[in-house]
Amino acid sequence: MKINANLSTESGWEIFEHNFIADHLIATGSNFLIGNGYLGYRGTFPEWRKDQYVGCFLSDTYDNADGKWTELCNVPNALYTLIKVDGEAVITSESLTYENDHKEHSYCRKLDLKQGLMSIRNCWTSKDGKRLMLKAEQFASYADLHLIPQRFELEVDRRCVLEIITGIDALVWDLHGRHLFDHSFSSGPDHLSVKVKTGELGTRIIVMEGLSIDGKKPFKQTISEAENQEGIFRKLAWELEAGEKLVLEKIMVVYSSNDLPDPGVAANHSLKNALEKGYTKLKADHTPYWEEIWFKTDMVIEGDLKAQTVLRFNHYHNFIATPFHSDCLPIGARGLSCQVYQGSAFWDQEIFNLPVYYYTKPEIARNILTYRYKTLDGARHKARELGYEGAFYAWVSGKSGRELCPSFFFTDVLSGRKIRNHFNDWQIHISPDIVYAIWNYYLATGDWDFIKKYGAEIIFEVARFLYSFAYFKKDKNRYELIRLVGPDEYHENVDNNAFTNYQARFSLHTALIVYDRLKEINPDYLAELLKRLNLSDEDYWQWEEMARLIYLPQPDPENGVIEQFRGYYDLEDVLPFRLEERLIDKSEYWGWPNGVAVHTRVTKQADVLQLLCLQDIFPPDIVKCNYDFYEPYCQHGSSLSPAVHATVAAKAGYIEQAYKYFMHSCMIDLAETNKAFSGGIFIGGIHTASCGAAWQVIAFGFAGIKASEEGISFNPVLPEPWHEVRFKVFYRAQELYLTISKASFSISAPSENSAPVQINAYGNTAVLQPGEMLLFKEPLS
C-alpha cells in the first residue's frame, strides 16, 4: 500500500522507504527516529557524520552555548561504522545497483512501529562489480533507557578484503554553538568510551561502545584516537570468501551526571550486562514494552490502510518523545529528534500531547503535569519579573521552568535585523492552558489526590496571575485582557483575544470549584495552602468577580461569528494564497511586526477554532458558522492547525473536510508539508504536537468523547473511507472498549472493571455495568 511516491506499508505497522533522496535528508532522519523518552537517535546511516545531521539527543542535558539558546545536547555517536570492500567505501544509502545497464532496486529503510525498530537493507555494488549484502537494525531500548543496541549482517558475493572502521564519532551537529568540552577517550578489551562536560553547567556525559563479532576473526584489529578530538575508532579487516557472512553487534550506552552521581560506573555496568545478553535477548526484553503501549493506545481503522499507518506513525512519535520515566522533564515541541525548540515544553504539551494519556496511560499524564508543579517557582519568577503576581508560565520551558524563549526569536531575512517577538511576555494563554489540562485530566481520571497535592496550588497561582494581569474598565464594568498574543502568532499586541479570554474564565471558574471543594472535604489542607500562598477569602471573591465580569466576545447576532480579537474585522480581507504572492523572499516571517499577514485577516493557525475545539460551550450552528468564516483565512503556518480544523470540522458535521484535515495533520512529517526554515531560523524535526493531536481528532472529533464528573459521552461519526474504528479508553480507572461503524456504536466494559460508568451517546443516557455492552443503533452521518 503506497503512502506516497517513496513510502509504503504492508500491514499498517511499518513504513518502508524505497529510495534514498538526498533532498529529504533532514526530514527522513527525523521520521525514522528511534527513541524511548530518555534519548532519541535519528534514523540516519552508519557511515554518516554531523554534515548529514546525525544525532543522539539526550533529555535533561540543557546547555546554553551562545548566550541566547538553551537546548539539549547532541552526544557523541557510538553507532558510527564505515565499511570498505577492497578499499572502496560502502555507501549504505545508495538506492540502486546496476547489472547490464538494468536498474535493480535493492535498498530499503524501514521503521517498525510495532516494536520500535529502525532497519536498513541494501545490496551495494562496487565499481568492479562486487556485491555486499547489508542488513542493519537498531532500537532505543525501553528495558534499559540508556541502551541503543545495533546488529549488522554482512555477506559478500566474491572474495575480498572487508574493512570496518567503527567506534565513537565525537564530531556532533549543534544548532547554536558547541556544548561539549574536555573530551577524554579510553578503551578496553570490550569497549570504547568518551567522557565530556557541557560548557555552561558542567554536566558530565559518558558515551560507551561495545562490539561483539560472530564469524571469522579479523586478521587486523587496532584502536586509535582521531586527531582534534574527533573520536575513537576500531579498525578491523577480514579476508572473506564468496558467500561468507559476518554478524556484528554494537551497543551504545549513554549516561549523564543528571541521572546519577557516577555515570561512568553505571555505564560500565549497563554495557557489560548488554554484551552478555546479546542483541537477540536485548530485543526480547524491549518488545514487551511496545506490546503494552499498543495494547492500551492503538486505534484500529478498518477500510483505510493508509490512514491506519500514518495514525500509528504519529502515535509512535508522540510516545517516544514523552519522558515517561520522569516527573521533572517536559515533552519537547520537536521531541528528541533535534535541538529545535530546545527540547522544551510549549502550550503544545498540555493541549496536544497529553490528552491521549488521560484516557490510555494516566500515570504518564500525571508525571507530565507534576512537571508543571515542579516548575511552578519558575512561573512565579517570570510573573514577578514582569510586574505581576502568581504564576505566569514560561512560553518555552525546560527543566527549571524559567523562560527560555528569547525576545528576539526571528530575523528579518530582507534586512538582516532581529525581530522582537512577544511570545515570552504577551502570550499569557499558556497559564490558563495548563489549568485547562489539569482539570480535564481530573475529569477523565478522577484523580483528586493530584488536585490536592499539586493541582490546587497551580490553579490558585494562575488565578492570582490572571487577576493581576487583567485591566478593569470602569465605564463598561468589565475586566479586559489587553496586549496579547493568541494562538495565531502573526497578530501580536491585540486586545481581548477570544481564545485567551475564554480560557482565562475557564481557569477562574476552576479555581472557584477547587476552592469550594477543598473547603468542603479538605478544609484543613485548604487553610494550610492559603496560609502558605498568602491567600485569603478576599482573593476568592476577586476571582469570582473577574470570572463574572470578564469580557467574552460573543457570537455576532447576525452571522454567529466570534471576533478573534478587537479590530479583527477591520483588517484587510485577503486569502493566504494571495498574500503569499506579496513575499519578496519565501522564508520571510509573516507575522509581527512587519510581516505580510500583520494587517490582514490571514491567521497562522486556528485561533477561534482552537477555542471551539477545546470548550464545548457553543451550539452546533455557532461552531459551523465560525468554521465557515475562519477556515479560508488560515495559512496553517503551524503544524498544530490541521488537527484542530479536523476536530472542529467533525463537530460541525463537515465529515469529508474533517477527514481531509486529519490526513493532512498525520502526513505533516511524512510529506514534509511544513517548512524547515522560517524567519532565518531552522525549525525542522518531528512535529510532536501534531503527532499527539492525531489521537484527539479521532477521540474528540470523530468519536465525540467528552468526560465529566457524572460520566463520559460520545457523539460518533465516521468519514466515508472507514468501515469501522475500534479503540479503548480508561475513564476513572474503568476500561471501556469502543466500536464505531457506519450502522452502530457499541461500548463494552470488561468484567474486571470495579464500577459502573454512566454513558451518554446521541443524547441518550445509560449505565454500563462491568461485563456488559451497550449498543446504539442510531444511524451515523
Side-chain angles (χ1 to χ4, degrees):
M1 170 71 190
K2 277 193 172 184
I3 297 172
N4 62 24
N6 195 35
L7 301 175
S8 69
T9 188
E10 292 177 355
S11 68
W13 283 108
E14 69 286 303
I15 292 176
F16 298 106
E17 179 189 65
H18 303 287
N19 291 286
F20 170 70
I21 301 171
D23 288 347
H24 298 194
L25 180 149
I26 295 175
T28 55
S30 301
N31 291 342
F32 286 85
L33 178 82
I34 55 173
N36 56 22
Y38 173 78
L39 55 79
Y41 189 95
R42 288 174 60 79
T44 50
F45 292 88
E47 71 275 14
W48 281 8
R49 308 191 75 177
K50 71 174 188 177
D51 289 344
Q52 289 81 35
Y53 307 100
V54 171
C56 180
F57 298 95
L58 196 61
S59 63
D60 198 11
T61 55
Y62 294 99
D63 187 71
N64 190 310
D66 66 351
K68 177 179 179 180
W69 300 95
T70 297
E71 58 197 9
L72 295 178
C73 291
N74 183 7
V75 303
N77 173 28
L79 299 185
Y80 173 79
T81 301
L82 174 64
I83 304 169
K84 295 183 178 181
V85 174
D86 286 341
E88 184 179 346
V90 173
I91 302 172
T92 56
S93 61
E94 273 191 349
S95 301
L96 300 171
T97 58
Y98 294 85
E99 186 172 350
N100 299 324
D101 296 324
H102 174 67
K103 291 184 179 180
E104 194 178 285
H105 287 267
S106 61
Y107 162 91
C108 181
R109 180 162 42 170
K110 175 184 175 184
L111 183 64
D112 183 330
L113 304 168
K114 196 169 190 176
Q115 301 182 89
L117 310 172
M118 196 282 283
S119 60
I120 301 164
R121 186 190 72 244
N122 206 350
C123 182
W124 176 84
T125 304
S126 67
K127 292 175 182 177
D128 61 0
K130 296 186 181 73
R131 289 193 175 188
L132 172 72
M133 177 58 72
L134 176 145
K135 296 179 182 177
E137 183 181 84
Q138 61 204 40
F139 61 91
S141 175
Y142 269 100
D144 181 342
L145 300 180
H146 303 270
L147 292 185
I148 307 178
Q150 183 186 59
R151 187 176 194 268
F152 282 98
E153 294 181 20
L154 305 171
E155 181 180 354
V156 294
D157 73 337
R158 302 184 198 177
R159 186 176 184 180
C160 67
V161 173
L162 184 76
E163 183 181 359
I164 291 180
I165 302 169
T166 187
I168 305 176
D169 179 9
L171 293 180
V172 301
W173 164 48
D174 283 317
L175 278 184
H176 299 111
R178 180 181 173 187
H179 295 286
L180 305 180
F181 298 88
D182 298 339
H183 292 62
S184 173
F185 300 98
S186 67
S187 62
D190 60 356
H191 76 271
L192 306 177
S193 73
V194 57
K195 296 178 181 178
V196 294
K197 287 184 180 180
T198 63
E200 181 191 17
L201 300 177
T203 302
R204 290 172 290 124
I205 298 170
I206 181 169
V207 177
M208 299 191 71
E209 182 252 31
L211 176 70
S212 65
I213 302 168
D214 183 7
K216 180 186 289 186
K217 290 185 178 180
F219 71 80
K220 182 175 72 174
Q221 183 170 352
T222 61
I223 296 175
S224 62
E225 294 181 28
E227 294 180 359
N228 302 318
Q229 298 187 331
E230 289 188 9
I232 183 169
F233 304 99
R234 294 183 176 89
K235 293 184 179 180
L236 307 102
W238 294 261
E239 290 183 347
L240 298 182
E241 301 296 330
E244 196 165 4
K245 296 181 181 179
L246 280 179
V247 175
L248 280 68
E249 295 183 0
K250 282 172 63 78
I251 306 294
M252 177 173 177
V253 179
V254 187
Y255 275 85
S256 86
S257 56
N258 289 332
D259 301 324
L260 69 182
D262 194 339
V265 171
N268 271 289
H269 180 267
S270 285
L271 181 61
K272 180 180 179 181
N273 183 58
L275 289 170
E276 287 175 356
K277 286 187 173 184
Y279 185 89
T280 301
K281 181 61 169 66
L282 292 171
K283 184 176 173 180
D285 292 344
H286 160 79
T287 52
Y289 289 83
W290 276 107
E291 290 172 5
E292 193 265 344
I293 290 165
W294 290 117
F295 177 73
K296 290 187 174 180
T297 66
D298 190 31
M299 290 173 151
V300 178
I301 300 173
E302 299 287 359
D304 191 345
L305 187 57
K306 179 177 178 178
Q308 177 71 88
T309 307
V310 298
L311 172 65
R312 285 176 175 150
F313 171 85
N314 281 269
H315 284 184
Y316 166 86
H317 277 290
N318 189 54
F319 199 84
I320 66 173
T322 303
F324 76 99
H325 60 285
S326 173
D327 63 4
C328 302
L329 296 173
I331 302 173
R334 290 294 185 269
L336 295 167
S337 67
C338 59
Q339 290 166 324
V340 170
Y341 293 141
Q342 305 157 266
S344 298
F346 291 63
W347 70 306
D348 311 20
Q349 174 175 273
E350 279 69 31
I351 302 303
F352 296 92
N353 297 111
L354 278 191
V356 58
Y357 297 126
Y358 305 162
Y359 292 95
T360 61
K361 295 179 74 66
E363 68 279 6
I364 294 178
R366 180 174 170 129
N367 266 6
I368 301 302
L369 291 172
T370 301
Y371 157 79
R372 289 299 193 180
Y373 178 78
K374 292 187 174 182
T375 55
L376 186 54
D377 281 344
R380 290 179 175 123
H381 172 82
K382 176 178 174 179
R384 287 195 303 271
E385 287 285 297
L386 294 172
Y388 306 115
E389 298 178 359
F392 184 1
Y393 275 90
W395 186 243
V396 179
S397 179
K399 188 175 183 180
S400 70
R402 295 290 183 99
E403 182 63 79
L404 298 181
C405 182
S407 296
F408 294 89
F409 196 90
F410 293 118
T411 299
D412 184 338
V413 296
L414 302 179
S415 68
R417 294 172 181 160
K418 296 184 292 184
I419 296 175
R420 171 62 165 111
N421 296 108
H422 292 273
F423 309 138
N424 57 10
D425 54 354
W426 292 351
Q427 208 154 16
I428 73 161
H429 67 80
I430 177 65
S431 286
D433 293 342
I434 290 168
V435 173
Y436 175 90
I438 290 170
W439 191 245
N440 278 275
Y441 164 77
Y442 166 71
L443 291 177
T445 64
D447 187 359
W448 184 254
D449 178 71
F450 177 84
I451 298 294
K452 180 182 172 183
K453 287 183 178 177
Y454 308 119
E457 187 169 344
I458 295 173
I459 291 165
F460 291 172
E461 288 289 60
V462 170
R464 173 187 259 167
F465 163 69
L466 290 169
Y467 185 79
S468 73
F469 183 91
Y471 167 62
F472 184 71
K473 199 162 175 58
K474 288 187 178 181
D475 60 328
K476 295 184 178 178
N477 193 38
R478 71 189 191 194
Y479 287 87
E480 297 189 3
L481 302 178
I482 64 173
R483 196 169 292 167
L484 303 172
V485 183
D488 165 26
E489 293 175 331
Y490 288 165
H491 296 95
E492 299 190 24
N493 196 23
V494 302
D495 296 342
N496 293 317
N497 169 255
F499 175 82
T500 304
N501 286 28
Y502 276 95
Q503 286 288 88
R505 185 184 67 166
F506 182 97
S507 295
L508 294 162
H509 275 164
T510 302
L512 299 175
I513 292 169
V514 171
Y515 189 105
D516 289 341
R517 193 162 302 177
L518 284 173
K519 192 171 185 178
E520 178 184 354
I521 64 176
N522 302 111
D524 292 341
Y525 176 78
L526 176 63
E528 184 275 327
L529 180 60
L530 295 180
K531 182 178 180 181
R532 178 156 51 87
L533 299 182
N534 194 27
L535 291 170
S536 67
D537 286 348
E538 182 181 353
D539 294 284
Y540 174 94
W541 291 114
Q542 289 173 344
W543 302 342
E544 188 279 334
E545 179 185 72
M546 183 176 169
R548 181 164 36 86
L549 298 180
I550 189 171
Y551 173 63
L552 301 172
Q554 295 298 308
D556 186 282
E558 293 185 7
N559 61 22
V561 175
I562 301 165
E563 189 173 25
Q564 182 173 310
F565 52 80
R566 188 175 69 192
Y568 178 83
Y569 294 148
D570 299 329
L571 299 175
E572 181 186 357
D573 187 355
V574 61
L575 295 179
F577 77 97
R578 290 296 183 199
L579 197 59
E580 188 172 11
E581 295 171 355
R582 302 179 187 176
L583 295 175
I584 300 171
D585 185 310
K586 291 295 184 183
S587 64
E588 287 179 51
Y589 179 59
W590 287 36
W592 170 280
N594 59 351
V596 293
V598 173
H599 302 292
T600 77
R601 292 182 180 181
V602 171
T603 60
K604 178 185 178 186
Q605 65 198 80
D607 198 301
V608 171
L609 297 191
Q610 183 75 66
L611 167 63
L612 302 178
C613 183
L614 299 187
Q615 296 198 30
D616 291 317
I617 56 177
F618 298 101
D621 62 316
I622 297 298
V623 175
K624 184 177 183 296
C625 66
N626 277 273
Y627 182 89
D628 291 343
F629 180 83
Y630 283 106
E631 189 269 345
Y633 292 120
C634 188
Q635 188 245 347
H636 300 292
S638 166
S639 63
L640 310 180
S641 192
V644 177
H645 279 72
T647 304
V648 177
K651 292 182 178 185
Y654 294 137
I655 309 308
E656 185 178 342
Q657 287 197 48
Y659 176 74
K660 180 192 77 170
Y661 273 120
F662 169 75
M663 292 301 292
H664 180 178
S665 180
C666 287
M667 289 293 292
I668 281 171
D669 290 304
L670 290 170
E672 302 174 53
T673 61
N674 283 50
K675 53 195 175 186
F677 287 87
S678 180
I681 296 295
F682 177 74
I683 55 172
I686 284 291
H687 298 78
T688 59
S690 66
C691 293
W695 183 92
Q696 293 184 55
V697 175
I698 294 180
F700 301 152
F702 294 132
I705 293 176
K706 183 180 179 182
S708 69
E709 295 199 76
E710 292 72 36
I712 186 168
S713 62
F714 306 88
N715 187 31
V717 293
L718 280 187
E720 186 57 38
W722 299 357
H723 306 318
E724 186 176 275
V725 172
R726 300 188 302 275
F727 62 101
K728 68 175 64 178
V729 296
F730 291 83
Y731 170 75
R732 301 201 163 201
Q734 308 307 308
E735 196 169 356
L736 305 174
Y737 296 88
L738 315 180
T739 301
I740 306 169
S741 71
K742 289 289 198 298
S744 66
F745 166 58
S746 68
I747 180 167
S748 60
S751 57
E752 294 79 12
N753 276 9
S754 59
V757 177
Q758 181 175 292
I759 304 294
N760 184 286
Y762 313 122
N764 302 311
T765 300
V767 175
L768 179 63
Q769 298 289 344
E772 294 186 356
M773 182 184 78
L774 295 174
L775 180 64
F776 300 87
K777 290 190 175 181
E778 181 169 330
L780 304 183
S781 57

